[in-house]
Amino acid sequence: MNSTTITIIAAVAVIWIILFIIFMNFNKKRKAGEDQFKKDHADQALLHVYGKSVKVDGRDLDLVDHKTGQYGQLILALRPGTHTVEAVYRTTDNVGTQTKNAVTKPVSITIDLEAGQNYYAAMYFYSADQRKDYYKGQVDELVTEVSLGLESGFTANTHAYVIVYKEIN
């Protein structure tokens, strides 16, 4: 190897290390912010929505106390009781050597939330029963499940589900 090649490799390695440190710090700050948000709203129900274009009880997200979580999910702090949450859910699926995005139209779910509890709403390619079997029962408590149909040939899966789980403490 000549000196130019070694210099390029060293520069790429240094840039990679710097970016790695920056992104680790960014993730730590996001995690700390999420933890603080959970502490500040311990008397409310926290709904983690893995989706976009979220509305709660017909209100835009701007009118709901929320924070972006560590994994990019929206964490909504909601009063205990029944709420209708509408969102567009997204996930990816591998089809052969390609990755395809699956996106729902707005899906509306009505759920009853309890104070001090964490709930998770996301899109899956497997039903709650299939997930429970696969994980040998090691899943959170099922709150609700909405079955969605997918276009044939779009992904390897023909069904998708929006599932809401209540975290088991």
Side-chain angles (χ1 to χ4, degrees), residues 89-109:
Y89 296 91
R90 302 167 187 233
T91 191
T92 57
D93 191 20
N94 294 325
V95 181
T97 59
Q98 296 181 347
T99 300
K100 294 198 175 198
N101 294 320
V103 181
T104 68
K105 292 181 178 173
V107 176
S108 185
I109 299 172

Side-chain angles (χ1 to χ4, degrees), residues 17-141:
I17 290 169
I18 291 170
L19 289 174
F20 183 77
I21 291 169
I22 289 170
F23 283 109
M24 278 189 59
N25 285 332
F26 177 73
N27 195 40
K28 278 184 186 177
K29 286 180 183 177
R30 186 176 264 184
K31 173 75 171 123
E34 180 179 327
D35 291 343
Q36 186 62 47
F37 185 81
K38 287 179 178 181
K39 265 191 222 177
D40 292 345
H41 297 88
D43 61 334
Q44 295 179 305
L46 297 178
L47 176 62
H48 300 246
V49 179
Y50 290 83
K52 303 285 181 198
S53 303
V54 177
K55 289 184 179 183
V56 178
D57 299 325
R59 298 178 300 162
D60 287 330
L61 193 57
D62 298 342
L63 302 173
V64 178
D65 200 5
H66 68 282
K67 175 134 185 92
T68 301
Q70 181 181 5
Y71 303 109
Q73 81 276 26
L74 289 172
I75 305 172
L76 312 175
L78 302 171
R79 283 174 288 131
T82 301
H83 294 278
T84 300
V85 179
E86 180 181 287
V88 173
Y89 296 91
R90 302 167 187 233
T91 191
T92 57
D93 191 20
N94 294 325
V95 181
T97 59
Q98 296 181 347
T99 300
K100 294 198 175 198
N101 294 320
V103 181
T104 68
K105 292 181 178 173
V107 176
S108 185
I109 299 172
T110 300
I111 51 177
D112 190 39
L113 303 175
E114 299 173 19
Q117 299 296 321
N118 281 289
Y119 298 85
Y120 299 87
M123 181 174 162
Y124 300 93
F125 285 118
Y126 303 97
S127 70
D129 287 337
Q130 289 170 319
R131 293 185 83 250
K132 189 173 184 178
D133 290 344
Y134 181 81
Y135 291 108
K136 297 177 177 49
Q138 299 298 310
V139 294
D140 288 327
E141 180 183 327

